[in-house]
Amino acid sequence: MSTPRVFLARHGETEWTLNGRHTGISEIPLTPHGETQVRQAGRSLVGPGRLIDPSRLTRIYVSPRVRAQNTFLLLLAGCAGAPLEHVNVLVTEEIAEWGYGRYEGWFPAQIREDRKARGLDKERPFDIWRDGCEDGEGPEGLKGESAEEVRVRLDKVIKEIRELQAPYMNGEKNVDVLLVGAGGGGG
C-alpha cells in the first residue's frame, strides 16, 4: 500500500468547451471526440495495476452535470471486471462547475463587451477570479458565483477528503479518491 492519492478528471470535450463558451449549469453533452478522449484516458489510466486502480479507490465525487456523469461512466467502463462495490460514489453540487449566471454560454469577448457597455471595469479588465459572475436577469435568472463561493464549496470537499485519508497517510488502507468535474474559471 502507499500514500493515499486524489485524482482529478475533467470531463471530455463538448461543443462549448471546443469553442470557448462558459459552461456552468447548461447540460451540454460530450462530443463524439470527447467520448473518445475519455475512453482512451480510461484505457490508459484506469484499471487493475494502472495509475487509478479501482481496488484502491474508496470514494468518487462526480459533478451532477451530464457531461461529468458521462465522463465518469466512460472513464470507468473498462473496469467491468474490477470490484467497485466498495467505492462510495457521491454525485454532488459541491464539485459542480462554476455558476456563470449572466455569462452562461457566453464567450469571454462577449463578457468584456457587455461589461464595457454597462460602464463596468473602467479601472481594470474583468477577471473572473477577482470579479466573479453576476446573477442572470429575469425570472429564470441563473445564479452567478464569486470565486469565494466556489472556494467555500470546494473547501468542504477538500476537508472531507482530508478527514477520510488522514488516518491512513502511511498506506494502512487504500483510500484513493477520484473527482470528476470540469476545469472551470474561464473569463
Side-chain angles (χ1 to χ4, degrees):
M1 296 195 193
S2 65
T3 303
R5 300 166 299 170
V6 177
F7 300 100
L8 306 174
R10 184 185 192 279
H11 67 74
E13 177 187 272
T14 69
E15 180 184 331
W16 283 15
T17 57
L18 185 62
N19 65 29
R21 293 171 72 175
H22 289 279
T23 316
I25 67 164
S26 297
E27 293 293 8
I28 309 299
L30 300 177
T31 63
H33 178 69
E35 292 177 358
T36 299
Q37 289 174 320
V38 176
R39 280 190 193 97
Q40 287 175 341
R43 283 193 295 270
S44 298
L45 301 173
V46 182
R50 294 202 174 98
L51 181 64
I52 303 173
D53 187 329
S55 70
R56 294 182 48 88
L57 288 172
T58 192
R59 186 169 296 163
I60 300 173
Y61 292 87
V62 187
S63 163
R65 304 292 88 81
V66 70
R67 58 194 172 274
Q69 297 288 313
N70 290 342
T71 296
F72 164 65
L73 294 173
L74 292 170
L75 192 63
L76 296 174
C79 298
L84 289 173
E85 61 272 355
H86 67 283
V87 180
N88 183 6
V89 178
L90 300 171
V91 177
T92 176
E93 288 286 343
E94 299 298 330
I95 66 161
E97 292 71 357
W98 194 302
Y100 289 111
R102 177 183 182 95
Y103 311 134
E104 179 75 13
W106 290 20
F107 295 100
Q110 288 177 296
I111 296 170
R112 289 189 297 274
E113 289 169 15
D114 174 72
R115 291 178 65 90
K116 182 179 179 181
R118 293 185 297 126
L120 303 174
D121 307 327
K122 291 180 182 177
E123 295 178 23
R124 57 186 179 206
F126 172 72
D127 181 317
I128 193 170
W129 300 102
R130 180 189 60 237
D131 303 319
C133 295
E134 300 172 73
D135 291 342
E137 297 175 348
E140 297 174 11
L142 302 175
K143 170 78 173 92
E145 286 186 292
S146 68
E148 177 65 11
E149 290 171 308
V150 174
R151 183 198 62 78
V152 166
R153 61 184 172 84
L154 292 176
D155 277 354
K156 289 178 190 176
V157 175
I158 292 168
K159 182 178 186 259
E160 286 177 20
I161 293 169
R162 282 182 169 167
E163 289 172 357
L164 174 72
Q165 292 183 335
Y168 309 108
M169 293 310 289
N170 294 315
E172 299 87 347
K173 182 178 176 183
N174 291 325
V175 287
D176 285 354
V177 173
L178 171 64
L179 292 95
V180 183

